[in-house]
Amino acid sequence: MIEIPYTVKILASVILAFLLLGIAIIFINKTRKRRQQDATVRERQSRKPFPQSATLSENALIAKQGDPQSREQIIRDHYRDWLARYLLPTYDARGAFVRVGVERKRLRYQVSTTSLAQGFALLQSVLIGGDDLAASDRYERLLTFVLAYPSNQSEDLCSWHTLPDMTAPPKLEADPHAEAWIAFSLLMAEKQWGQSENFNYKRMLEYRLSALLELQQGIEASDHKRAIYTPLFFDAFARQSDAEAWQKIALDLRKELLAHIKGAELSADGSAEEAWLAFSTLHVGLAGLLLKESSHQSLANQFEGLVYNAIKTLPAKLEQAEEDGLSPLALLACCAPLAMLQNDQDLLEKYWNTLSTHKSNQHDAIGETLRLLALITLNGNFWV
């Protein structure tokens, strides 16, 4: 048996170690290069760059406080603060999500998000496009996250709640209200940027609307946790497919809302019923501003007392922390579009001043996201 000299063994070990180190460096560089490519901002030309003026109903007012440039800068400042405070990348930098909260799972604290927060952020990215040159790229990262966490009801819908740091988070039910925002954002994204190299917006919208329609048809109008009247969205969906089905859903939910408007108020009690009323208020306002049918304006008029009472009582509660329900900031933001339809400039300026100057000391992802959407709307920049 030939005995290998000790020095040769040492030399071979050293060569092998360097070889393994070289292989490891190659893999590290490849991984780093791939992540850098994933993190590269891919800018696309925006067809309706912020501040894009929207075509609103004839009786709609917009904020007039200060000059237009000052109001636009206020929106930009709130947007930058929102990005820094709430938007996080996924571990591989390919996706992005809105940090809604932090939850303890066993011995670890993990950030959480919801499909509703993602839906708000997706549409917000479309509306701020052109001014934020990274908006189209950010939209697709938010969309990537949505696609990565399907619901247990359909692969074409998203789990309503997610812990992004979990290796294999459970599939949960879909939130119909959130899915409506996500689907509407796909329509708006194509209007803003055209077709994407990474996603087929039209095909995705087709699949998601089919799944959402099936989900929505299985929900009773009286189920206020899941059945939200979104006339602007339903009108847009009906133009894509299944018009009669979407119109029937809209009619049923409108009847349900009409039965609960009289004497309704928003008091920040944190209830699911109040969240239903607030979101309904938001969508009635958007429809009154952006749809031509007079029925939307007549419905908006029935919220007059709620809108005036909200600006009278909720500002004093703005430092109240977000718990289970919507925060006072979120509730006020939901009322803002309707304030534009009351033919009262002073009322409108109160909403603009309150929403634009409030500095939140609390973590309130939903409230601050809705505040930003409200400011864009109050300034006349929510287009369709």
Side-chain angles (χ1 to χ4, degrees):
M1 182 176 178
I2 300 175
E3 184 176 348
I4 300 175
Y6 179 73
T7 54
V8 174
K9 291 181 179 180
I10 293 296
L11 182 61
S13 298
V14 172
I15 293 173
L16 180 60
F18 276 106
L19 180 61
L20 293 174
L21 178 61
I23 293 172
I25 291 174
I26 290 173
F27 276 111
I28 290 172
N29 286 336
K30 284 185 176 181
T31 301
R32 182 178 298 164
K33 185 177 180 180
R34 185 175 68 249
R35 289 189 175 181
Q36 287 175 344
Q37 290 173 343
D38 290 336
T40 301
V41 173
R42 296 175 287 277
E43 179 187 346
R44 284 188 286 165
Q45 186 68 34
S46 296
R47 297 168 177 173
K48 294 178 178 289
F50 177 85
Q52 176 71 29
S53 295
T55 301
L56 304 176
S57 60
E58 291 182 359
N59 62 329
L61 303 175
I62 64 170
K64 296 293 185 181
Q65 191 172 112
D67 56 72
Q69 293 74 25
S70 298
R71 295 195 302 274
E72 290 158 12
Q73 189 58 47
I74 287 172
I75 293 172
R76 292 187 183 99
D77 291 343
H78 279 291
Y79 176 64
R80 281 197 295 267
D81 290 344
W82 178 86
L83 286 177
R85 195 170 187 182
Y86 295 110
L87 202 70
L88 294 177
T90 53
Y91 71 95
D92 60 0
R94 295 184 180 184
F97 63 93
V98 179
R99 180 174 65 94
V100 172
V102 178
E103 299 180 17
R104 182 173 181 174
K105 293 295 179 181
R106 297 195 181 113
L107 298 178
R108 293 182 58 193
Y109 285 92
Q110 298 183 338
V111 293
S112 65
T113 189
T114 64
S115 57
L116 186 59
Q118 293 294 109
F120 291 155
L122 282 164
L123 187 55
Q124 184 172 277
S125 297
V126 175
L127 296 174
I128 206 71
D131 193 77
D132 177 2
L133 300 181
S136 62
D137 183 72
R138 185 170 294 110
Y139 177 89
E140 298 207 338
R141 294 181 193 277
L142 289 163
L143 188 59
T144 296
F145 185 93
V146 166
L147 299 176
Y149 296 94
S151 73
N152 60 12
Q153 295 156 305
S154 170
E155 292 292 314
D156 295 311
L157 302 175
C158 181
S159 287
W160 78 270
H161 177 270
T162 305
L163 298 174
D165 291 337
M166 284 188 70
T167 305
K171 292 183 178 181
L172 304 176
E173 290 184 353
D175 175 0
H177 184 214
E179 293 300 332
W181 283 89
I182 294 168
F184 188 73
S185 83
L186 288 168
L187 276 169
M188 294 283 282
E190 187 178 5
K191 289 182 180 181
Q192 180 68 285
W193 299 301
Q195 275 303 313
S196 162
E197 294 181 2
N198 302 312
F199 299 103
N200 186 326
Y201 293 151
K202 286 184 177 180
R203 183 63 57 83
M204 289 178 63
L205 179 63
E206 178 185 342
Y207 290 152
R208 297 191 83 87
L209 283 183
S210 177
L212 176 57
L213 179 59
E214 182 179 352
L215 176 64
Q216 195 81 60
Q217 287 176 324
I219 300 173
E220 295 292 333
S222 57
D223 184 354
H224 292 178
K225 286 187 177 181
R226 299 192 297 161
I228 308 291
Y229 179 53
T230 60
L232 178 65
F233 298 171
F234 291 155
D235 180 79
F237 300 161
R239 296 175 190 275
Q240 300 298 310
S241 62
D242 301 298
E244 289 186 8
W246 285 113
Q247 289 165 1
K248 183 181 185 306
I249 290 172
L251 181 60
D252 290 345
L253 293 179
R254 180 187 174 94
K255 289 179 179 177
E256 177 68 17
L257 181 58
L258 281 168
H260 292 79
I261 293 177
K262 189 174 181 180
E265 293 183 354
L266 299 174
S267 59
D269 62 16
S271 67
E273 190 72 12
E274 183 171 67
W276 170 80
L277 178 62
F279 286 138
S280 299
T281 300
L282 170 63
H283 288 291
V284 168
L286 291 175
L289 289 171
L290 298 165
L291 295 179
K292 295 180 180 179
E293 291 83 352
S294 60
S295 60
H296 298 299
Q297 176 62 59
S298 63
L299 180 58
N301 292 339
Q302 298 190 46
F303 285 78
E304 179 182 1
L306 182 148
V307 174
Y308 276 91
N309 185 70
I311 197 62
K312 180 180 179 181
T313 62
L314 291 178
K317 303 179 181 180
L318 283 176
E319 287 305 324
Q320 183 174 314
E322 176 190 22
E323 295 178 356
D324 292 332
L326 294 179
S327 67
L329 179 63
L331 298 176
L332 268 179
C334 286
C335 294
L338 274 173
M340 301 168 68
L341 295 168
Q342 303 306 316
N343 195 30
D344 186 340
Q345 192 69 41
D346 289 339
L347 172 71
L348 184 56
E349 300 307 334
K350 288 178 182 178
Y351 270 92
W352 172 267
N353 186 59
T354 302
L355 291 171
S356 64
T357 60
H358 174 65
K359 302 294 184 182
S360 180
N361 295 321
Q362 307 288 342
H363 181 94
D364 185 7
I366 297 297
E368 294 205 51
T369 308
L370 284 170
R371 183 251 295 275
L372 188 50
L373 286 170
L375 291 176
I376 291 173
T377 306
L378 288 168
N379 200 46
N381 304 130
F382 192 125
W383 54 267
V384 291

